[in-house]
Amino acid sequence: MTTDIRRQNGFNDSRAFLPWFGIALGVLVLKAPDALSNPQFWAEDGIIFFLQQRTMGLGSLFEQMVAYLHLAPRLVAQLAAPLPAWLVPLAYNAAAIAGGAASLAFLCTRLHDRVPGIVFLLAVLLSLTNGEIFGTLTNLQWFLQLFLLGACFAPAGPRGPLRTPAMLALVLVASLTGPFSVLLLLVLAAAVGLSLLPGAWLPTARLRAWLRGLDRWRLLMLAIGACAQVRVYLVHRIPGSTAMGVRDVAKGIGDVLQAHTFGSVVLPTLMFLLLLAAMLVALLRQARHDSLADDRFLLLAMAGLGVLQVAAGMAKMGIPLEVAVSDRYVFVFKLFFWTAVAMLLQGLFRSRSQVLAISLAAIGFVALNHPGYLRRAPLEDKQWRTYAPALDRGEKVDIPTHPTPWVIPIPARQDTR
C-alpha cells in the first residue's frame, strides 16, 4: 500500500512542515511585499470584514457574502478587533500571508516526493498573476482550498497531529470559507464514480485503495461545510446572474486556461485540450505504481478542482483572456499544470536535478516573457493611519480604501466585541 511506503519514508510528517512553511512564507512576501511594509485594506477587507465586525461583533461570523460563508477572514477580524486601529490592516495582511503559506506548506508535506513540492512552490512564485490573491484577507480563501485539498485528498497515515480534533476544526473552518468545499465534494464524487468503472484502462484498484485511505472524519467536515455553503447559496443567490452558458464555457475554457497559464493562446483550443487530456492519462498511468499513486491522485484532484472553478468563474462572470482580470479563478489550474509537468518528467528522467532544471526552465521562460505579471503592483497609501485615532475614539468617519473609489463608512462606535 502507498500509505505504508509513506510511513517508512518518514517524509510525510509534521517535522517537514516548518521548512516548507518558511519557503512558502518567503514566496508570498515576495509576491506582495508592500502588504507588510505599507499595509492597506483591499476590497471586502474593509467594507465587509472590518466594518461588519465593528458594527455586529460576533454576529458577523456567519453573515453571507456573495452567497457564501467566509468564516476564516471573519475569525481573523474578531481576533484583530482589540488592536489599535492603525495595526488592523497589518494584522489582516499578516494573517492572510501566514494562512496562505501554511496552506501551501501543508500541501507540500502531503506529497511523497520533494521535487513536485519544490516545483509547486516555484509555480506559486513564477506563475503569471495580476496579484489580486496575494497579501489580502479577502482572498485567503484561494489558499485555504489548497489546505482542504491536502487535508482531505491525501491518506491520513497513522494517528498523529494530522488526525487531532484541532485538524478537524481547521478543515471545518476552511470548508466554511468560500465555495471550494462544494467543488471538492464534486471532485470526490467523480473519483468514487471512476473507481466503480472496469479497470482495463484505469488503475481502479489503486484508486479504491487511495479512497479507502482518506480520512473519513475530515471528509465529514468537508461535507458539512459544503452542505452549509449550498444552503446559503440557494437562499441568497441572485437569479439570472450567470454570464455564460454551458456551451460557451465548454468552447472558451481551453483558451482561458492557456491565456492565463502562458500569457497568450499558444495552441488551437482542441489541440490544447487534447494535450491536457494526454497529461491526465499519463498521470493515471503513473498511478499504477504503488510508490506514485497517492501523489498522482492528489494532483488529479487538484486538476479537477482547478477546472471546475475556471468553469464556475466563466459561468458566473466570464473570464477574459487577459491575465490582469479575474486571474484568481485560474490560480489552482496553473499550480496543477506546472506540478504535473514535473511529475511527468520524473517518468522520463531519473535525475532530480534534471527534472528541477527543466521544470524551472519551462516556468521561467513564461515568466521572463511576461515580467509585468509576476507580483502584485504596490497599492497606493490611502493614509489609514491618519484615520486611526478617530476610529479608536469611536467617531463616525468615512475612510477611502482599495480599489478606488471604494469607501468604508464607519459609524460611531457601539462596542460589540
Side-chain angles (χ1 to χ4, degrees):
M1 292 290 294
T2 54
T3 48
D4 294 332
I5 294 173
R6 285 177 179 276
R7 295 172 196 174
Q8 295 168 10
N9 181 274
F11 173 61
N12 186 22
D13 60 26
S14 56
R15 290 174 298 177
F17 176 80
L18 286 179
W20 286 116
F21 177 74
I23 297 169
L25 194 64
V27 166
L28 294 188
V29 170
L30 286 173
K31 297 297 283 188
D34 68 311
L36 299 179
S37 63
N38 180 34
Q40 307 285 312
F41 279 150
W42 173 261
E44 288 84 1
D45 289 356
I47 67 166
I48 298 293
F49 303 132
F50 178 78
L51 178 60
Q52 290 185 348
Q53 188 287 320
R54 191 176 177 88
T55 56
M56 301 171 63
L58 290 172
S60 66
L61 282 177
F62 293 98
E63 280 291 304
Q64 63 85 27
M65 183 183 77
V66 294
Y68 294 105
L69 300 175
H70 295 265
L71 183 55
R74 291 192 184 278
L75 287 172
V76 172
Q78 292 293 332
L79 293 172
L83 296 174
W86 68 271
L87 271 177
V88 175
L90 177 60
Y92 280 29
N93 291 358
I97 291 172
S103 298
L104 295 172
F106 182 78
L107 185 60
C108 289
T109 67
R110 310 307 291 147
L111 294 169
H112 176 254
D113 194 327
R114 291 176 177 83
V115 171
I118 294 171
V119 174
F120 174 78
L121 291 183
L122 282 173
V124 178
L125 178 65
L126 296 176
S127 286
L128 306 186
T129 179
N130 63 1
E132 62 184 332
I133 67 170
F134 295 100
T136 68
L137 191 61
T138 291
N139 289 317
L140 173 60
Q141 58 178 319
W142 299 92
F143 291 93
L144 290 181
Q145 64 177 319
L146 296 170
F147 163 73
L148 281 177
L149 189 68
C152 298
F153 286 79
R159 182 169 178 82
L162 299 180
R163 303 189 74 177
T164 61
M167 174 57 67
L168 297 181
L170 289 173
V171 171
L172 183 59
V173 169
S175 298
L176 293 171
T177 304
F180 306 105
S181 55
V182 179
L183 301 182
L184 283 169
L185 209 58
L186 293 175
V187 171
L188 180 64
V192 171
L194 288 174
S195 73
L196 301 176
L197 296 177
W201 61 280
L202 277 173
T204 51
R206 300 283 188 273
L207 180 56
R208 291 167 189 160
W210 175 73
L211 287 168
R212 287 194 298 268
L214 302 183
D215 189 278
R216 299 297 189 267
W217 289 103
R218 277 180 268 164
L219 291 176
L220 176 62
M221 296 300 104
L222 180 75
I224 290 172
C227 290
Q229 297 288 18
V230 169
R231 181 184 182 279
V232 171
Y233 176 77
L234 292 176
V235 172
H236 296 281
R237 69 188 178 95
I238 301 173
S241 60
T242 55
M244 301 177 69
V246 174
R247 182 176 299 179
D248 292 330
V249 170
K251 289 172 61 178
I253 194 168
D255 290 346
V256 168
L257 294 175
Q258 288 189 79
H260 285 256
T261 303
F262 309 125
S264 61
V265 178
V266 297
L267 293 173
T269 304
L270 180 59
M271 186 179 296
F272 174 76
L273 293 176
L274 289 173
L275 172 64
L276 181 59
M279 292 176 68
L280 297 176
V281 170
L283 288 170
L284 280 170
R285 289 181 63 84
Q286 287 187 349
R288 294 178 183 274
H289 302 281
D290 263 349
S291 61
L292 303 177
D294 286 355
D295 286 0
R296 271 53 182 179
F297 288 135
L298 176 60
L299 194 65
L300 287 165
M302 187 189 298
L305 176 62
V307 171
L308 277 175
Q309 62 191 245
V310 171
M314 293 177 68
K316 177 183 176 182
M317 57 186 296
I319 301 177
L321 299 184
E322 295 81 16
V323 177
V325 184
S326 301
D327 185 63
R328 61 191 180 275
Y329 290 99
V330 198
F331 175 59
V332 166
F333 175 82
K334 286 184 281 192
L335 300 186
F336 152 75
F337 182 86
W338 295 119
T339 308
V341 168
M343 285 190 179
L344 294 175
L345 286 172
Q346 287 181 304
L348 300 175
F349 301 96
R350 291 187 177 182
S351 169
R352 291 185 168 191
S353 59
Q354 284 181 306
V355 171
L356 284 171
I358 297 171
S359 300
L360 177 59
I363 306 172
F365 176 79
V366 175
L368 288 173
N369 280 280
H370 301 87
Y373 289 119
L374 295 183
R375 67 175 187 171
R376 191 185 80 179
L379 297 180
E380 175 192 355
D381 189 349
K382 295 289 187 176
Q383 303 300 318
W384 173 266
R385 284 180 177 241
T386 65
Y387 298 93
L391 288 173
D392 289 333
R393 292 191 298 267
E395 299 174 4
K396 179 181 182 299
V397 60
D398 294 334
I399 306 177
T401 189
H402 293 280
T404 304
W406 289 23
V407 173
I408 311 171
I410 307 292
R413 185 66 188 250
Q414 296 179 351
D415 195 356
T416 56
R417 284 179 287 184

